[in-house]
Amino acid sequence: LLAWKFVFRLPEDAATYEVLFDTLRNQMLQVHNLTVSVDATVSGGVYPTTNTDPETVVAFPFATLTNSGTKNTNAAGIYDYSGGTATIALNGQYFRMADACGAISLSNSTDGNLALGSSAGTDCTTPGVGGAGNTHASRSGFYHLTKINRKGATFFPANAWLGTKVTANMNSNLTCNANWNGTSLNFYRSGNGCSNTGEIAAVFLHEWGHGFD
């Protein structure tokens, strides 16, 4: 068939499309995605309840990363990997993890899977990848806070605060407490007989509740 061929990209989509259009019959013949891409996952070890339990490796939903532009994982922790280098800093759509132990950064240029890992220990202990801020608290906090935020949005879809990005300060150099200070969430290191409050799911949900209220 004789057809016009158009190749274009949309501002909100990283893919490149080819359209074949038959002008004699005034109909579209084909729309084809020319981008070669695969699904990749962002994952890491989190404490599902508290830090006396073993870490469980989970996919991180709504995590923001860079890979030929800015991308976000979906609710299942999956994103469209288009080759090249993918980098994540646990600065997601709804929460930014700011860890006093150091910066968070993990890259992969092989298959796009960003595995933040898991390890023993507490406070500033890391799996040895992802930077000094890739701690139990940052991983667990990102996961639990994102999950409760999205659960809240199903009940209150018009609530504007649920759509904003909140900073969660992890491993602050204090002990035996956590708080919502009106603009950010704050979780403390272990010490003085207390566990790290950024490693306990119930503390995340409690302090998030103050912010939501």
Side-chain angles (χ1 to χ4, degrees):
L1 295 173
L2 184 63
W4 286 99
K5 180 173 73 172
F6 301 94
V7 178
F8 65 94
R9 295 178 69 181
L10 300 173
E12 69 276 9
D13 192 338
T16 300
Y17 296 95
E18 178 187 82
V19 173
L20 299 181
F21 188 80
D22 186 339
T23 55
L24 295 178
R25 295 173 178 82
N26 195 32
Q27 65 180 178
M28 191 176 296
L29 301 175
Q30 183 185 66
V31 179
H32 181 59
N33 187 341
L34 298 177
T35 305
V36 177
S37 61
V38 296
D39 286 341
T41 303
V42 175
S43 65
V46 307
Y47 290 121
T49 304
T50 187
N51 59 5
T52 57
D53 300 323
E55 276 191 300
T56 300
V57 175
V58 298
F60 286 161
F62 306 107
T64 302
L65 58 119
T66 57
N67 173 235
S68 301
T70 301
K71 298 179 180 180
N72 295 298
T73 62
N74 62 19
I78 297 169
Y79 76 98
D80 196 23
Y81 175 65
S82 54
T85 301
T87 302
I88 192 166
L90 285 186
N91 183 358
Q93 285 182 258
Y94 304 104
F95 291 94
R96 181 181 77 88
M97 312 313 291
D99 202 303
C101 296
I104 305 168
S105 182
L106 179 70
S107 296
N108 183 322
S109 57
T110 304
D111 58 11
N113 290 308
L114 295 164
L116 290 155
S118 58
S119 68
T122 188
D123 296 342
C124 290
T125 303
T126 74
V129 297
N134 180 23
T135 63
H136 300 283
S138 283
R139 295 191 304 273
S140 296
F142 184 87
Y143 177 76
H144 288 295
L145 290 170
T146 300
K147 294 289 279 187
I148 190 61
N149 172 286
R150 293 296 82 202
K151 189 169 187 175
T154 67
F155 291 98
F156 300 94
N159 184 283
W161 182 75
L162 292 172
T164 64
K165 184 185 295 189
V166 174
T167 296
N169 295 304
M170 316 310 295
N171 284 301
S172 296
N173 201 16
L174 296 166
T175 62
C176 297
N177 209 343
N179 65 69
W180 161 258
N181 65 11
T183 57
S184 66
L185 292 154
N186 303 278
F187 302 93
Y188 299 168
R189 301 186 191 192
S190 65
N192 295 317
C194 299
S195 291
N196 185 313
T197 56
E199 298 176 357
I200 303 169
V203 179
F204 290 128
L205 307 190
H206 177 97
E207 300 305 340
W208 175 88
H210 285 303
F212 181 64
D213 287 343

